[in-house]
Amino acid sequence: MSVKGAGDEGRIETGEEHPLDHILRRDRLPHIWCPGCGLGSAMTCFAQAIEGVDIPLKKQVLLSGIGCTGRIAGYVNVDSYHTTHGRAIPFATGLKIANPELCVTVFSGDGDLFAIGGNHFLHAARRNVDINVICVNNFNYGMTGGQQGPTTPVDAKTTTTRYGSFEHPFNLPYLAAATGAVYVSRWTTLHCRQLEKSMEKALQKKGFTFIEIISPCPTGFGRPNKLGEGLEELRYYREKSVIKNDASWDEMDLHMRGEEPIVVGDFVDTERPTYLELEEQMLRKRGFMK
Amino acid sequence: MKYWRRPLDKDEIKTPKGHIYLIPDRCKGCGFCIEFCPKGVLEESKEINKKGYHLPKIADGKEDDCINCNFCMLICPEFAIYTEEGE
């Protein structure tokens, strides 16, 4: 469609097929996310990552809970489960234990994973179940109307904190590392290449891996906090992000305002026996397995 | 581009050339590709798609500047833009 005054010069050639279309459910596009939302970028990075690793697509499983991020499972053309609210990790644990050959990834939001599903996260990390958890953190409950969530920074305005939030938010990388995750990293949706590399690393790593993705939410979080459209939020990330792999836990607190930096990087990369390895070890020790 | 000395491998290394493609009806006009293209190849056009969003277009004089880095594809939340190796 063209409008008056639109010139033909510089028009970009129309493409037939996006290079990642075979990983997407094309018939469902365009997706429901708002213009300027970072979820699409996070999903592109994930699609690139699952294509880049050696694990066949047939062995990839993606799970998600409820919320805007929960929709990701419906757009990816691998085996995917849209589970009940907060229960993506128990589903994933079950899947991995029933069929250890699968590469199981949980892709969900901060409200789903850390509010209603907080306990499941702690225990999956403690057991070191071999699953990958990717949390898209947009600092509020976007789908239900921008309410305060477990990661809303102090002083931030949401529909349920009109005078500014007076609760301390979770420091997600700290939480994940303290409960036993073997790989912890944090990127914003602007750090596409680093995010893709981290996801590839997490998919190939044994044990419980955790990636936090800081994403703009122009409708739910950006508007009441006057952060502007998604583009302005990304500009803010570009200005304030600092890559610091050996950052102390205090530095990782997010304020999302003023001069405080957003510390990103690969924070933890260790080894620990996984749940299935330990199970096998114990069964062998007691003579139940040869 | 001006060099203060001629790089030793200037003949072997060639800057890749990219060709940009757009799937217009997926675009939601967020402007990420325009802002974050490292070569500044894109700009907002007056043209709109069927949902009424302004599409990106190639800026004047930047027709041959794309280096196929694929960053627009990675940052685009709508799977609408991508680049391929050009001639």
Side-chain angles (χ1 to χ4, degrees), chain A residues 80-110:
Chain A
S80 55
Y81 297 85
H82 192 189
T83 68
T84 41
H85 200 359
R87 314 295 177 230
I89 290 178
F91 271 76
T93 309
L95 261 174
K96 185 68 192 180
I97 291 168
N99 189 353
E101 285 194 352
L102 298 177
C103 175
V104 182
T105 310
V106 174
F107 211 126
S108 206
D110 55 306

Side-chain angles (χ1 to χ4, degrees), chain A residues 179-199:
Chain A
T179 45
V182 292
Y183 179 76
V184 179
S185 78
R186 172 201 269 166
W187 300 104
T188 72
T189 52
L190 184 61
H191 295 87
C192 298
R193 290 197 204 281
Q194 291 95 326
L195 184 56
E196 191 195 321
K197 291 246 164 63
S198 274
M199 284 178 176

Side-chain angles (χ1 to χ4, degrees), chain A residues 8 33 61 92 106-107 127 158 172 186 213 215 243-244 256 278:
Chain A
D8 261 357
W33 301 316
V61 187
V106 174
F107 211 126
R127 293 179 185 128
T158 63
L172 300 182
R186 172 201 269 166
I213 307 173
S215 162
I243 299 178
K244 202 170 178 190
M256 300 314 286
L278 268 182

Side-chain angles (χ1 to χ4, degrees), chain A residues 118-130:
Chain A
N119 214 4
H120 299 303
F121 181 88
L122 302 185
H123 289 283
R126 172 180 65 83
R127 293 179 185 128
N128 201 17
V129 189
D130 188 6

Side-chain angles (χ1 to χ4, degrees), chain A residues 1 3 5 9-19 21 24 26 29-31 33 35-37 40-41 43-44 48 190 192-193 196 230-231 234-235 238, chain B residues 19-26 28 30-32 35-36 42 46-51 53 56-58 69-71 73-82:
Chain A
M1 189 190 286
V3 288
E9 312 91 55
R11 180 180 291 173
I12 303 173
E13 206 171 307
T14 303
E16 295 298 320
E17 201 184 340
H18 192 274
D21 268 359
L24 307 172
R26 280 185 76 163
L29 293 175
H31 51 60
W33 301 316
C37 174
S41 315
M43 194 176 142
T44 313
Q48 284 270 73
L190 184 61
C192 298
R193 290 197 204 281
E196 191 195 321
L231 186 56
L234 283 198
R235 280 189 196 126
R238 177 165 64 180
Chain B
H19 198 100
I20 312 170
Y21 293 92
L22 180 76
I23 304 171
D25 287 342
R26 287 188 188 173
K28 286 185 193 160
C30 64
F32 288 179
E35 174 83 15
F36 297 107
L42 302 169
K46 284 183 179 159
E47 196 182 356
I48 53 173
N49 64 6
K50 69 178 177 193
K51 285 178 284 189
Y53 292 115
K57 70 167 190 157
I58 298 170
C69 73
N70 244 333
F71 196 73
M73 187 201 88
L74 277 175
I75 197 116
C76 175
E78 312 296 330
F79 313 99
I81 194 167
Y82 60 96

